[in-house]
Amino acid sequence: MKHVVVLGGGYGGLAVVDDLLDKDIANHIEITLVDRMPFQGLKTEYYALASGTASDIEIRNQFPTDPRLTKAYGEVTSVDLEKKQVCFLEGDPLSYDVLVIALGCVDKFHNIPGAEMFSCSIQSLSATRKTNQRVNDVKPYGTVSIIGGGLSGVEMAAELRESRPDLNVRILDRGKSILSPFPDKLQQFVRVWFEKHDIDMVNGVSVSRLEEGVIYNQGEMILTDATVWTAGIQPSPVVQQMDVPKDPQGRVLLNEFHQIPQHPDVYVVGDCASLAFSPSAQAAGAQGKQVAEVIEAVWKGETPKLGQIKLRGVLGSLGKKSGFGLMGKKTVMLGMVPRALKSGVLWKSRRHFG
């Protein structure tokens, strides 16, 4: 029997596992899901845990229970592509016939001194728990600074305002506006919401250094009681150290079947894969489904036939009562409707409906 090992139980890895279990191939192969923890952390909701508006148990999913699925827990340290083994911090290596790497991403600090040491993260569940404690320990009328005006930074700022109305909340971004890749109408809506809810937006900030309680905008000192970093991501360190072709962002270059060309028995899914669109839970899930299709086709001795991955759009929240969305490239939604849609997506995700 072929042994299929899936590294990472996030959106991409679980999509592979769920789809394989739905196929007849699952009765003829061994499937092992490897993760640090026995549940999936819903990463798109980490900002809510960090800010204090959601509990830990609300943003995690139990992995599927199926006699055809083996679950293994541990910290992956490296992948030996020649020996076809996965190595762990503790325990023996795990051999595979087919490997799916879906290990997600970590913060990218852009070589800024002190950034990793003096800022909080929302990239892993463990780090987000620490961020929750750090942010919510700030004394009344203290200041929380969020570095990065993208989707994660905006949602974190809005949710923190709802959780701690006593705090001064500030978002720092190097661009001219928060959410700069989005249409002007959407940007304007969020800016007005921020102004109405007393969230400071400081644009044109080029962070040069962090120290305890201080953010340096080149020579300017910006005082802060806590700092949250949302200013960039990069692939998992396991992927960073792999000697395979990558794009300028460090993501693995793949063929049309999501395989590493030099190692067609290895697939890369999600934030670690070089795709035609920005990393997202939606993209990882869609790609994961296609990887399961390819694995089944290869097992049957057929040539895989994949369609083009089409993303439905982006949804963001501004607290629990407002939000924004972009469907396709032009259709903008603002207010309660996109917030309700995002709640519906979360409901489906928690029940493994996609």
Side-chain angles (χ1 to χ4, degrees), residues 252-264 266-267 274:
V252 179
L253 295 172
L254 306 172
N255 63 19
E256 67 270 33
F257 303 124
H258 310 298
Q259 302 162 321
I260 299 178
Q262 301 84 354
H263 302 275
V266 180
Y267 303 80
S274 182

Side-chain angles (χ1 to χ4, degrees), residues 47 122-123 146-159 170-182 186-187 190-191 194 199 201-203 228-233 278-279 314-318 324 342:
Y47 68 90
I122 56 172
Q123 285 305 320
I146 299 163
I147 299 178
L151 183 61
S152 296
V154 164
E155 290 190 307
M156 177 72 198
E159 206 79 5
R170 171 200 297 142
I171 189 163
L172 310 175
D173 191 67
R174 65 184 303 172
K176 295 181 179 180
S177 171
I178 55 175
L179 299 175
S180 56
F182 290 83
L186 190 153
Q187 292 180 41
V190 177
R191 286 197 299 266
F194 272 23
I199 297 174
M201 293 166 283
V202 186
N203 300 313
V228 181
W229 188 271
T230 65
I233 58 173
S278 299
V314 178
L315 294 169
S317 66
L318 296 172
F324 52 90
K342 184 171 183 184

